[in-house]
């Protein structure tokens, strides 16, 4: 049940929406990058369902914890990819458009909620 980045990609809707206030600027991300992220999140979703099954089957706690750690690591990798793309695409665009201060404030607010 370990997550793998090499698992087959599934056909997923390409009309994913960001839960972000679009009044500041629209988010337009590379379609291929978005597809990869959605696929990663789908694998994580399946992995979480597998953990739920493990708990329902009364599997040993150490086995369950190993799988929880795998999901946590996978979510951290997704967050890192999103942050990297935000820094290169959104912050870069804001710098060109002259609204970098607003974009940095939004990023700081998001990081305050994201980081422990």
């Amino acid at each position: 049940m370990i997550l793998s980045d090499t698992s087959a990609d599934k056909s997923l809707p390409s009309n994913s929406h960001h839960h972000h206030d679009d009044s500041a600027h629209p988010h337009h991300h590379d379609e291929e990058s978005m597809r990869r992220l959605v696929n990663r999140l789908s694998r994580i979703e399946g992995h979480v369902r597998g953990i739920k099954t493990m708990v329902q089957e009364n599997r040993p706690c150490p086995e369950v914890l190993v799988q929880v750690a795998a999901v946590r690591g996978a979510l951290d990798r997704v967050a890192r990819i999103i942050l990297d793309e935000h820094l290169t695409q959104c912050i870069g665009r804001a710098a060109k458009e002259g609204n970098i201060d607003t974009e940095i404030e939004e990023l700081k607010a998001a990081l305050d909620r994201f980081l422990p």
Side-chain angles (χ1 to χ4, degrees):
M1 188 181 293
I2 299 298
L3 285 175
S4 168
D5 289 349
T6 59
S7 66
D9 290 336
K10 297 175 185 162
S11 178
L12 297 170
S14 62
N15 60 349
S16 299
H17 299 287
H18 297 278
H19 295 286
H20 177 73
D21 181 7
D22 288 332
S23 63
H25 66 271
H27 273 82
H28 299 287
H29 294 281
D30 175 74
E31 286 293 322
E32 177 65 18
S33 173
M34 189 182 309
R35 185 188 63 78
R36 283 192 308 264
L37 277 172
V38 169
N39 287 340
R40 281 177 179 264
L41 290 167
S42 293
R43 288 193 303 270
I44 291 167
E45 183 179 28
H47 201 150
V48 170
R49 282 192 305 270
I51 294 170
K52 180 180 175 184
T53 299
M54 291 176 75
V55 170
Q56 291 169 330
E57 293 173 351
N58 222 6
R59 298 279 294 274
C61 294
E63 288 180 23
V64 175
L65 289 172
V66 165
Q67 298 308 314
V68 169
V71 167
R72 183 183 291 159
L75 280 172
D76 286 345
R77 286 188 294 280
V78 165
R80 177 58 192 253
I81 291 167
I82 292 169
L83 179 59
D84 285 349
E85 289 186 3
H86 183 71
L87 290 172
T88 58
Q89 294 177 15
C90 301
I91 299 289
R93 181 178 55 249
K96 289 177 187 169
E97 295 173 357
N99 58 345
I100 188 76
D101 292 337
T102 302
E103 192 69 35
I104 288 175
E105 287 307 312
E106 289 178 6
L107 177 58
K108 284 180 183 179
L111 288 173
D112 283 344
R113 290 186 302 273
F114 177 73
L115 296 173

